[in-house]
Amino acid sequence: MVVGDSIGHNIKSENLVGLDNIINGSDIFIFNLEGVLVDSIDNIKACEGFPTHQSISVSNSSFVNYLKKLAPVTIANLANNYIFDCSSEGVKETKRVLTENSILSVGAGQDLHEACEPLFIQDLGLAFVSYNFVIKDLVSADTHHGGAATLDACNHDYNSLKVEKGVDLIIASIHLGKWYANIKKEQVEIIQNLFDSGVDIVIGHSPHMPQAIMATKDGNIAFFSLGNFIFRPDYEMPSLAH
C-alpha cells in the first residue's frame, strides 16, 4: 500500500486511531513523510525552514507510533522540500526516530552519498530510489551537507542495480509538482525517462491532490500524485486537496 503526503503537524492523536483498519493486510506500507520528526530541540540548532518559500512542517516523533506496525515492512520517503526544515540536524534526527521505530527510509541523508543510497528489500527483490524536485537549491544534499536526494545528482544506473544486486523491481518516488490536479508536460517527460532508464514503478507526490495514473504496454505504472494522507498545514488548502 502506498499513500501520499503525511506528517503529524497539527494532527491530534485521536484522529490517527484506526489507521490499522485502513492499511491492515499490506505486505509493504510506503508513505511520504512531508516534514521533520523532532523528539527534542536539544538535538538540533533551530527549525527555521524557508519562510519566504513555504511553511514549516515539523512533528513530534510520536506521530510514527501510529504508522510503524501497520505492515511487515514500512518505508518513509524523505526526498521532499520539507526534509531540511531543521537543517542537517533535522535530517539526522528524523532518520534516528524512524530507525528506532523500525521504519525504513530513503531519499535523504547527511551528505550526497547517504541521500542517494538506494533502499533494498532483498527478500522481495525490490529496490527503492527517491528524488526531490521542489526548491532543490535550498534543500538538496551535496558532498558537504545533508538534505534531499535529486535525480541529477544521484545519477543512478538502474540496470546495474538489477544485475549487481539481483533486483527484480525498481520503484522510484518523485516529489514533483505544485497545487494542481492536471498533470504537466514536465511530469510526463521525467516519468517516461525513468521508465526508459530501467525504473518499473513511479510513485509521485507534492501537488497535495490526486492526479492521473499511467500504465504502459511494457507493464510500467506511474502514480503522478497520490495526494494527501495525513496532512494539515498552517494554511487553507484548495478544496481538491482535502
Side-chain angles (χ1 to χ4, degrees):
M1 178 172 285
V2 186
V3 299
D5 303 307
S6 305
I7 190 66
H9 184 73
N10 288 336
I11 302 294
K12 297 179 180 179
S13 58
E14 55 263 33
N15 293 334
L16 299 176
V17 176
L19 282 178
D20 55 335
N21 295 326
I22 300 175
I23 300 164
N24 187 33
S26 302
D27 296 312
I28 301 177
F29 174 58
I30 308 169
F31 66 99
N32 176 56
L33 182 65
E34 186 80 334
V36 181
L37 300 173
V38 176
D39 251 343
S40 171
I41 59 174
D42 295 334
N43 297 332
I44 59 174
K45 294 178 181 178
C47 291
E48 299 176 347
F50 304 94
T52 60
H53 292 79
Q54 60 189 22
S55 61
I56 295 176
S57 185
V58 179
S59 171
N60 187 277
S61 68
S62 62
F63 171 65
V64 297
N65 290 334
Y66 297 91
L67 302 176
K68 65 182 181 180
K69 296 180 180 179
L70 300 178
V73 178
T74 300
I75 301 171
N77 172 71
L78 303 182
N80 56 61
N81 51 304
Y82 284 105
I83 191 59
F84 208 62
D85 274 5
C86 303
S87 68
S88 292
E89 290 89 348
V91 177
K92 183 177 181 179
E93 178 72 357
T94 298
K95 295 191 72 173
R96 180 193 68 80
V97 170
L98 292 171
T99 299
E100 289 186 357
N101 285 278
S102 300
I103 296 177
L104 304 173
S105 64
V106 62
Q110 292 301 292
D111 55 33
L112 184 61
H113 176 76
E114 183 181 341
C116 291
E117 190 70 24
L119 172 65
F120 297 101
I121 311 295
Q122 299 288 4
D123 292 346
L124 300 176
L126 300 178
F128 294 83
V129 293
S130 182
Y131 311 113
N132 174 58
F133 293 83
V134 183
I135 58 171
K136 293 191 297 182
D137 56 326
L138 299 177
V139 304
S140 297
D142 63 23
T143 55
H144 304 294
H145 67 76
T150 61
L151 178 62
D152 294 338
C154 292
N155 193 30
H156 289 122
D157 185 335
Y158 310 113
N159 292 317
S160 292
L161 287 179
K162 290 183 176 180
V163 173
E164 296 173 5
K165 298 291 186 178
V167 171
D168 300 315
L169 202 69
I170 295 179
I171 301 173
S173 287
I174 59 171
H175 203 71
L176 170 65
K178 298 181 180 179
W179 296 86
Y180 44 73
N182 296 324
I183 61 175
K184 304 294 183 180
K185 181 179 179 181
E186 178 189 19
Q187 292 172 280
V188 177
E189 292 176 345
I190 288 173
I191 288 173
Q192 188 59 58
N193 286 337
L194 288 169
F195 287 159
D196 293 342
S197 300
V199 170
D200 300 287
I201 298 173
V202 175
I203 300 167
H205 27 72
S206 179
H208 295 292
M209 55 185 70
Q211 292 183 333
I213 299 172
M214 179 174 73
T216 74
K217 63 181 181 181
D218 296 320
N220 305 112
I221 188 167
F223 302 88
F224 282 82
S225 173
L226 293 173
N228 294 329
F229 184 59
I230 303 170
F231 189 69
R232 186 171 293 168
D234 296 324
Y235 48 83
E236 184 175 354
M237 293 183 288
S239 58
L240 291 177
H242 291 287

